[in-house]
Amino acid sequence: CFPSSPLVTTTGFTSREMFELRVQKSQSHRHDFLTVGSMGHCSSIALGVALSTAQDVLCIDGDGAALMHMGSFATIAKCRLKNFKHVLINNAVHDSVGGQPTGSVQIDFPGIARACGYQEAMRARSSEEVKNSLRKLKETPGPCFLEVQALPGARADLGRPTTSTHQ
């Protein structure tokens, strides 16, 4: 849905998976910012990018990271940027650093996004729901939010990015 949009991804497995996905789909990394070593800052960085461009900016966040800086939800909503698209992958654990529970199983992230002022907030569980919700996220003026509830875990052979933000 967002093949050439600026992409900001949260630290850990999420950045590694998005890097591999871009490679598999022969998409450029030119506008990607992989938030390595800055857990919790993904949405704030994505907001800064969105303020500097008219293009849609896709923020791929994690539940543990989002919990670290919940105030960014209110700041993002207050800015009312139509190009801000926020996806939160909620696997209920800090997967990249050992699988400790985040406590996010009972948190209503779409409710929080709506209460802060996001224009749209959704939740998806199945692959079909994710596909339909991403389409809606793309079409709806932002700021928009999508929580994807996922199972924990990553491939054992998950690679690491081979380029940096500076290249």
Side-chain angles (χ1 to χ4, degrees):
C1 278
F2 298 87
S4 60
S5 294
L7 172 70
V8 181
T9 58
T10 193
T11 191
F13 290 153
T14 303
S15 284
R16 293 166 63 183
E17 289 171 343
M18 290 307 297
F19 184 88
E20 282 193 0
L21 186 62
R22 289 272 211 208
V23 170
Q24 288 171 1
K25 294 183 172 262
S26 298
Q27 296 174 352
S28 172
H29 299 290
R30 184 169 177 225
H31 298 293
D32 294 354
F33 187 97
L34 310 178
T35 311
V36 177
S38 297
M39 187 173 175
H41 296 286
C42 177
S43 61
S44 296
I45 294 167
L47 177 61
V49 174
L51 284 165
S52 71
T53 184
Q55 286 183 278
D56 282 346
V57 174
L58 184 61
C59 171
I60 308 290
D61 215 344
D63 55 305
L67 287 170
M68 294 178 82
H69 293 282
M70 292 291 288
S72 64
F73 279 69
T75 303
I76 290 162
K78 183 165 179 44
C79 289
R80 298 188 155 309
L81 297 177
K82 295 179 187 300
N83 64 334
F84 193 90
K85 313 297 179 160
H86 194 168
V87 176
L88 185 142
I89 310 295
N90 185 354
N91 62 3
V93 298
H94 291 288
D95 219 355
S96 299
V97 293
Q100 303 86 350
T102 60
S104 65
V105 171
Q106 71 277 3
I107 296 173
D108 181 5
F109 282 109
I112 292 168
R114 276 190 292 277
C116 287
Y118 278 67
Q119 297 301 303
E120 180 66 61
M122 305 166 275
R123 175 179 291 130
R125 292 180 180 95
S126 70
S127 58
E128 189 64 29
E129 288 175 337
V130 170
K131 184 178 177 181
N132 292 334
S133 296
L134 283 172
R135 189 176 304 115
K136 186 173 182 180
L137 191 79
K138 176 79 172 158
E139 296 168 356
T140 306
C144 296
F145 180 86
L146 169 61
E147 175 190 15
V148 177
Q149 292 184 327
L151 296 173
R155 289 189 350 257
D157 66 343
L158 184 61
R160 295 195 177 270
T162 56
T163 62
S164 72
T165 305
H166 301 291
Q167 292 183 330

Coordinates of all heavy atoms in Angstrom, one line a residue, residues 63-130:
D63 N 4.2 -2.2 20.4 CA 3.4 -2.0 21.6 C 4.3 -1.6 22.7 O 4.1 -0.6 23.4 CB 2.5 -3.2 22.0 CG 3.3 -4.5 22.1 OD1 4.0 -4.9 21.2 OD2 3.2 -5.1 23.2
G64 N 5.4 -2.3 22.9 CA 6.4 -1.9 24.0 C 7.0 -0.5 23.8 O 7.1 0.3 24.7
A65 N 7.3 -0.2 22.5 CA 7.9 1.1 22.2 C 6.9 2.2 22.4 O 7.2 3.2 23.0 CB 8.4 1.1 20.8
A66 N 5.7 2.0 22.0 CA 4.6 3.0 22.1 C 4.3 3.3 23.6 O 4.1 4.4 23.9 CB 3.3 2.6 21.4
L67 N 4.4 2.3 24.4 CA 4.1 2.5 25.8 C 5.1 3.4 26.5 O 4.9 4.1 27.4 CB 4.1 1.1 26.6 CG 2.8 0.3 26.3 CD1 3.0 -1.1 26.9 CD2 1.6 0.9 26.9
M68 N 6.3 3.4 25.9 CA 7.4 4.2 26.5 C 7.2 5.7 26.3 O 7.7 6.5 27.1 CB 8.8 3.8 25.8 CG 9.2 2.4 26.2 SD 10.7 2.0 25.4 CE 11.9 2.8 26.5
H69 N 6.5 6.1 25.2 CA 6.3 7.5 24.9 C 4.8 7.7 24.5 O 4.5 8.3 23.4 CB 7.2 8.0 23.8 CG 8.7 7.9 24.3 ND1 9.2 8.9 25.1 CD2 9.6 7.0 24.1 CE1 10.5 8.6 25.3 NE2 10.7 7.5 24.7
M70 N 3.9 7.4 25.4 CA 2.5 7.6 25.1 C 2.1 9.0 24.8 O 1.1 9.3 24.1 CB 1.6 7.1 26.3 CG 1.7 5.6 26.5 SD 0.9 4.6 25.1 CE -0.8 5.0 25.5
G71 N 2.8 10.0 25.3 CA 2.5 11.4 25.1 C 2.6 11.8 23.6 O 1.9 12.7 23.2
S72 N 3.3 11.0 22.8 CA 3.4 11.3 21.4 C 2.1 11.2 20.7 O 1.9 11.8 19.7 CB 4.5 10.5 20.7 OG 4.2 9.1 20.8
F73 N 1.2 10.3 21.2 CA -0.1 10.2 20.6 C -0.8 11.5 20.6 O -1.4 11.9 19.5 CB -0.9 9.1 21.3 CG -0.7 7.7 21.0 CD1 0.5 7.1 21.4 CD2 -1.6 6.9 20.4 CE1 0.8 5.8 21.1 CE2 -1.4 5.6 20.1 CZ -0.2 5.0 20.4
A74 N -0.8 12.2 21.7 CA -1.5 13.5 21.8 C -0.8 14.5 20.9 O -1.5 15.3 20.2 CB -1.5 14.0 23.2
T75 N 0.5 14.5 20.9 CA 1.2 15.5 20.0 C 0.9 15.3 18.5 O 0.7 16.2 17.8 CB 2.7 15.4 20.3 OG1 3.0 15.6 21.7 CG2 3.5 16.4 19.4
I76 N 0.9 14.0 18.1 CA 0.6 13.7 16.7 C -0.8 14.1 16.4 O -1.0 14.7 15.3 CB 0.8 12.1 16.5 CG1 2.3 11.8 16.6 CG2 0.2 11.7 15.2 CD1 2.5 10.3 16.8
A77 N -1.7 13.8 17.2 CA -3.1 14.2 16.9 C -3.3 15.7 16.9 O -4.0 16.2 16.0 CB -4.1 13.6 18.0
K78 N -2.6 16.4 17.8 CA -2.7 17.9 17.8 C -2.2 18.5 16.5 O -2.7 19.5 16.0 CB -2.0 18.5 19.0 CG -2.1 20.0 19.1 CD -1.7 20.4 20.5 CE -1.8 21.9 20.7 NZ -2.9 22.6 20.2
C79 N -1.2 17.9 15.9 CA -0.6 18.4 14.7 C -1.6 18.2 13.5 O -1.4 18.9 12.5 CB 0.7 17.8 14.4 SG 2.0 18.3 15.5
R80 N -2.5 17.3 13.6 CA -3.5 17.1 12.5 C -3.0 16.9 11.1 O -3.5 17.4 10.1 CB -4.6 18.2 12.5 CG -5.3 18.4 13.8 CD -6.5 19.4 13.6 NE -7.6 19.3 14.5 CZ -8.4 18.2 14.7 NH1 -8.1 17.1 14.2 NH2 -9.4 18.3 15.5
L81 N -1.9 16.2 11.0 CA -1.3 16.0 9.7 C -2.0 14.9 8.9 O -2.1 13.8 9.3 CB 0.2 15.6 9.8 CG 1.1 16.7 10.4 CD1 2.5 16.1 10.6 CD2 1.1 17.9 9.6
K82 N -2.6 15.3 7.7 CA -3.3 14.3 6.9 C -2.4 13.2 6.4 O -2.9 12.2 6.0 CB -4.0 15.1 5.8 CG -5.0 16.1 6.2 CD -5.6 16.8 5.0 CE -6.5 17.9 5.4 NZ -7.7 17.6 6.1
N83 N -1.1 13.4 6.4 CA -0.2 12.4 5.8 C 0.4 11.5 6.8 O 1.3 10.7 6.5 CB 0.9 13.2 5.0 CG 1.8 14.0 5.9 OD1 1.4 14.5 6.9 ND2 3.0 14.2 5.5
F84 N 0.0 11.6 8.1 CA 0.5 10.7 9.1 C -0.3 9.4 9.3 O -1.4 9.4 9.6 CB 0.6 11.5 10.5 CG 1.4 10.7 11.5 CD1 2.8 11.0 11.6 CD2 0.9 9.8 12.3 CE1 3.6 10.4 12.5 CE2 1.7 9.1 13.3 CZ 3.0 9.4 13.4
K85 N 0.4 8.3 9.0 CA -0.2 7.0 9.1 C 0.5 6.1 10.1 O 1.7 5.8 9.9 CB -0.2 6.3 7.7 CG -0.7 7.2 6.5 CD -2.1 7.6 6.7 CE -2.5 8.5 5.5 NZ -3.9 8.6 5.3
H86 N -0.1 5.8 11.2 CA 0.5 5.1 12.3 C 0.0 3.7 12.4 O -1.2 3.4 12.7 CB 0.2 5.9 13.6 CG 1.0 5.6 14.8 ND1 0.9 6.4 15.9 CD2 1.8 4.6 15.1 CE1 1.7 5.9 16.8 NE2 2.3 4.8 16.3
V87 N 0.9 2.7 12.3 CA 0.6 1.3 12.4 C 1.3 0.8 13.7 O 2.6 1.0 13.8 CB 1.0 0.5 11.2 CG1 0.7 -1.0 11.4 CG2 0.2 0.9 10.0
L88 N 0.6 0.2 14.6 CA 1.3 -0.4 15.8 C 1.1 -1.9 15.8 O 0.0 -2.4 15.7 CB 0.6 0.2 17.0 CG 1.2 -0.2 18.4 CD1 1.2 1.0 19.3 CD2 0.5 -1.4 19.0
I89 N 2.2 -2.6 15.7 CA 2.2 -4.1 15.8 C 2.2 -4.4 17.3 O 3.2 -4.2 18.0 CB 3.4 -4.7 15.1 CG1 3.7 -4.1 13.7 CG2 3.4 -6.2 15.1 CD1 2.6 -4.4 12.7
N90 N 1.1 -5.0 17.7 CA 1.0 -5.4 19.1 C 1.1 -6.9 19.3 O 0.1 -7.7 19.0 CB -0.4 -4.9 19.7 CG -0.5 -5.2 21.2 OD1 0.3 -5.8 21.8 ND2 -1.6 -4.7 21.7
N91 N 2.2 -7.4 19.7 CA 2.4 -8.8 20.0 C 2.5 -9.1 21.5 O 2.8 -10.2 21.9 CB 3.6 -9.4 19.3 CG 4.9 -8.7 19.7 OD1 4.9 -7.9 20.6 ND2 6.0 -9.1 19.1
A92 N 2.3 -8.0 22.3 CA 2.2 -8.1 23.7 C 3.5 -8.5 24.5 O 3.4 -8.8 25.6 CB 1.0 -9.0 24.2
V93 N 4.6 -8.4 23.7 CA 5.9 -8.7 24.4 C 7.0 -7.8 23.8 O 6.8 -7.3 22.7 CB 6.3 -10.2 24.2 CG1 5.3 -11.2 24.8 CG2 6.5 -10.6 22.7
H94 N 8.0 -7.7 24.5 CA 9.3 -7.1 24.0 C 10.0 -8.2 23.3 O 11.0 -8.8 23.8 CB 10.1 -6.5 25.2 CG 9.5 -5.4 25.9 ND1 9.4 -4.1 25.3 CD2 8.9 -5.3 27.1 CE1 8.8 -3.3 26.2 NE2 8.5 -4.0 27.2
D95 N 9.6 -8.5 22.1 CA 10.1 -9.6 21.3 C 11.6 -9.6 21.0 O 12.3 -10.6 21.1 CB 9.3 -9.8 20.0 CG 9.0 -11.2 19.7 OD1 9.5 -12.1 20.4 OD2 8.3 -11.4 18.7
S96 N 12.1 -8.4 20.7 CA 13.5 -8.3 20.3 C 14.5 -8.5 21.4 O 15.7 -8.7 21.1 CB 13.8 -7.0 19.6 OG 12.9 -6.8 18.5
V97 N 14.1 -8.4 22.6 CA 15.0 -8.4 23.8 C 14.6 -9.5 24.8 O 15.0 -9.4 26.0 CB 15.1 -7.0 24.4 CG1 15.8 -6.0 23.5 CG2 13.7 -6.5 24.9
G98 N 13.9 -10.5 24.4 CA 13.7 -11.6 25.3 C 12.3 -12.1 25.5 O 12.0 -13.1 26.2
G99 N 11.3 -11.4 25.0 CA 9.9 -11.8 25.1 C 9.2 -11.5 26.4 O 8.2 -12.1 26.7
Q100 N 9.7 -10.5 27.1 CA 9.0 -10.1 28.3 C 7.7 -9.5 28.0 O 7.6 -8.7 27.1 CB 9.9 -9.1 29.1 CG 11.3 -9.5 29.5 CD 12.3 -9.3 28.4 OE1 11.9 -8.9 27.3 NE2 13.5 -9.5 28.7
P101 N 6.6 -9.8 28.8 CA 5.3 -9.2 28.5 C 5.3 -7.7 28.6 O 6.0 -7.1 29.5 CB 4.4 -9.8 29.6 CG 5.2 -11.0 30.1 CD 6.6 -10.7 29.9
T102 N 4.6 -7.0 27.8 CA 4.5 -5.5 27.8 C 3.3 -5.1 28.7 O 3.2 -3.9 29.0 CB 4.3 -5.0 26.4 OG1 3.1 -5.5 25.8 CG2 5.6 -5.2 25.5
G103 N 2.4 -6.0 28.9 CA 1.1 -5.6 29.6 C 0.1 -5.0 28.6 O -0.9 -4.5 29.1
S104 N 0.4 -5.1 27.3 CA -0.5 -4.4 26.4 C -1.7 -5.2 25.9 O -2.5 -4.7 25.1 CB 0.3 -3.9 25.2 OG 0.8 -5.1 24.5
V105 N -1.8 -6.4 26.4 CA -3.0 -7.3 26.0 C -4.3 -6.6 26.3 O -5.2 -6.6 25.5 CB -2.9 -8.6 26.7 CG1 -4.2 -9.4 26.5 CG2 -1.7 -9.4 26.3
Q106 N -4.4 -5.9 27.4 CA -5.7 -5.3 27.8 C -5.8 -3.8 27.4 O -6.7 -3.1 27.7 CB -5.9 -5.4 29.3 CG -5.0 -4.6 30.2 CD -3.6 -5.2 30.5 OE1 -3.3 -6.2 29.9 NE2 -2.8 -4.5 31.3
I107 N -4.8 -3.2 26.7 CA -4.8 -1.8 26.4 C -5.5 -1.6 25.1 O -5.3 -2.3 24.1 CB -3.3 -1.3 26.3 CG1 -2.7 -1.3 27.7 CG2 -3.3 0.2 25.8 CD1 -1.2 -1.0 27.7
D108 N -6.4 -0.7 25.1 CA -7.2 -0.3 23.9 C -6.5 0.8 23.1 O -6.8 2.0 23.3 CB -8.6 0.1 24.3 CG -9.5 0.5 23.1 OD1 -9.1 0.3 22.0 OD2 -10.6 1.0 23.4
F109 N -5.5 0.4 22.3 CA -4.7 1.4 21.6 C -5.5 2.2 20.6 O -5.4 3.5 20.6 CB -3.5 0.8 20.9 CG -2.4 0.4 21.8 CD1 -2.1 -0.9 22.1 CD2 -1.5 1.4 22.3 CE1 -1.0 -1.2 22.9 CE2 -0.5 1.1 23.1 CZ -0.2 -0.2 23.4
P110 N -6.5 1.6 19.9 CA -7.3 2.5 19.0 C -8.2 3.5 19.8 O -8.3 4.6 19.4 CB -8.2 1.5 18.3 CG -7.4 0.2 18.3 CD -6.7 0.2 19.6
G111 N -8.6 3.1 21.0 CA -9.4 4.0 21.9 C -8.5 5.2 22.3 O -9.0 6.3 22.4
I112 N -7.3 4.9 22.7 CA -6.3 5.9 23.1 C -6.1 6.9 21.9 O -6.1 8.1 22.1 CB -5.0 5.3 23.6 CG1 -5.2 4.6 24.9 CG2 -3.9 6.4 23.7 CD1 -4.1 3.7 25.3
A113 N -5.9 6.3 20.7 CA -5.6 7.2 19.5 C -6.8 8.1 19.3 O -6.7 9.3 19.0 CB -5.3 6.3 18.3
R114 N -8.0 7.5 19.4 CA -9.3 8.3 19.2 C -9.4 9.4 20.2 O -9.7 10.5 19.9 CB -10.5 7.4 19.2 CG -10.8 6.7 17.8 CD -12.2 6.1 17.8 NE -12.2 4.9 18.7 CZ -11.8 3.7 18.4 NH1 -11.3 3.5 17.2 NH2 -11.9 2.7 19.2
A115 N -9.2 9.0 21.5 CA -9.3 10.0 22.6 C -8.3 11.1 22.4 O -8.6 12.3 22.8 CB -9.1 9.3 23.9
C116 N -7.1 10.8 21.8 CA -6.1 11.9 21.6 C -6.4 12.8 20.4 O -5.9 13.9 20.3 CB -4.7 11.2 21.4 SG -4.0 10.6 23.0
G117 N -7.3 12.3 19.5 CA -7.7 13.1 18.4 C -7.3 12.6 17.0 O -7.5 13.3 16.0
Y118 N -6.9 11.4 16.9 CA -6.6 10.8 15.6 C -7.9 10.8 14.8 O -9.0 10.5 15.4 CB -6.1 9.3 15.7 CG -4.6 9.2 16.0 CD1 -4.0 9.6 17.2 CD2 -3.8 8.6 15.0 CE1 -2.7 9.4 17.4 CE2 -2.4 8.4 15.3 CZ -1.9 8.8 16.5 OH -0.5 8.7 16.7
Q119 N -7.9 11.0 13.5 CA -9.1 11.0 12.7 C -9.7 9.7 12.5 O -10.9 9.6 12.3 CB -8.8 11.6 11.3 CG -8.3 13.1 11.4 CD -9.3 14.0 12.0 OE1 -10.4 14.1 11.6 NE2 -8.9 14.6 13.1
E120 N -8.9 8.6 12.5 CA -9.4 7.3 12.3 C -8.5 6.4 13.2 O -7.3 6.6 13.3 CB -9.3 6.8 10.9 CG -9.8 5.4 10.5 CD -11.2 5.2 10.8 OE1 -12.0 5.9 10.1 OE2 -11.6 4.4 11.6
A121 N -9.1 5.3 13.8 CA -8.4 4.4 14.6 C -9.0 3.0 14.4 O -10.3 2.9 14.6 CB -8.3 4.8 16.1
M122 N -8.2 2.0 14.1 CA -8.8 0.7 13.8 C -7.9 -0.4 14.4 O -6.8 -0.1 14.9 CB -8.7 0.4 12.2 CG -9.4 1.5 11.4 SD -9.0 1.3 9.6 CE -7.4 2.3 9.6
R123 N -8.5 -1.6 14.4 CA -7.7 -2.8 14.9 C -7.9 -3.9 13.9 O -9.0 -4.1 13.4 CB -8.2 -3.2 16.3 CG -7.6 -4.5 16.8 CD -8.1 -4.9 18.2 NE -7.7 -3.9 19.2 CZ -8.4 -3.3 20.1 NH1 -9.7 -3.6 20.1 NH2 -7.9 -2.5 21.0
A124 N -6.9 -4.7 13.7 CA -7.0 -5.8 12.8 C -6.3 -7.0 13.4 O -5.3 -6.9 14.1 CB -6.4 -5.5 11.5
R125 N -6.9 -8.2 13.2 CA -6.3 -9.4 13.7 C -5.9 -10.4 12.6 O -4.9 -11.0 12.6 CB -7.3 -10.1 14.7 CG -7.5 -9.3 16.0 CD -8.5 -10.0 16.9 NE -8.7 -9.2 18.1 CZ -9.7 -8.3 18.3 NH1 -10.6 -8.1 17.4 NH2 -9.7 -7.7 19.4
S126 N -6.8 -10.6 11.7 CA -6.6 -11.6 10.6 C -5.9 -10.9 9.4 O -5.9 -9.6 9.3 CB -7.9 -12.1 10.1 OG -8.7 -11.1 9.4
S127 N -5.3 -11.7 8.5 CA -4.6 -11.1 7.4 C -5.6 -10.4 6.5 O -5.2 -9.3 5.9 CB -3.9 -12.2 6.6 OG -4.8 -13.2 6.1
E128 N -6.8 -10.8 6.4 CA -7.8 -10.1 5.6 C -8.2 -8.7 6.2 O -8.3 -7.7 5.5 CB -9.1 -10.9 5.4 CG -10.1 -10.4 4.4 CD -9.5 -10.3 3.0 OE1 -8.7 -11.1 2.6 OE2 -10.0 -9.4 2.2
E129 N -8.3 -8.7 7.5 CA -8.6 -7.5 8.2 C -7.4 -6.5 8.1 O -7.6 -5.3 7.9 CB -8.8 -7.7 9.7 CG -10.1 -8.4 10.0 CD -10.3 -8.7 11.5 OE1 -9.2 -8.9 12.2 OE2 -11.4 -8.8 12.0
V130 N -6.2 -7.0 8.1 CA -5.0 -6.2 7.9 C -5.0 -5.6 6.5 O -4.8 -4.4 6.4 CB -3.7 -7.0 8.2 CG1 -2.5 -6.1 7.8 CG2 -3.6 -7.4 9.7

